[in-house]
Amino acid sequence: MKKLLLNVLAAVCALLALLFIVIPGPSIVFLLAGLVCLSFNYPWARSYLKKTQAGFKTICVQLDKRLR
């Protein structure tokens, strides 16, 4: 039951992310939320989540350097 609920929540988050790509909104937030939900049950999602976190960290460090 927990796995099904997390999968449904991930699908809803992914659909909202697609919707917010078309209209202005926080699409990245919903895409990451869906990935987090999937990462509880699937190792491939956990791998993508780790890569995404590393990418965001790199981008934030680069932006921080440019703003100084």
Side-chain angles (χ1 to χ4, degrees):
M1 183 69 179
K2 181 180 175 183
K3 186 175 181 178
L4 177 66
L5 182 64
L6 284 173
N7 286 341
V8 169
L9 185 61
V12 168
C13 287
L15 289 174
L16 283 172
L18 289 174
L19 176 71
F20 284 134
I21 288 173
V22 177
I23 61 173
S27 60
I28 293 176
V29 173
F30 282 105
L31 196 59
L32 286 174
L35 199 55
V36 168
C37 291
L38 288 174
S39 71
F40 286 113
N41 296 320
Y42 302 106
W44 58 266
R46 197 171 303 121
S47 170
Y48 283 127
L49 186 61
K50 286 180 183 178
K51 289 178 186 177
T52 305
Q53 287 172 336
F56 274 120
K57 181 180 178 183
T58 303
I59 290 170
C60 289
V61 167
Q62 289 176 357
L63 284 174
D64 192 39
K65 286 180 183 177
R66 286 186 182 182
L67 293 176
R68 289 183 183 190

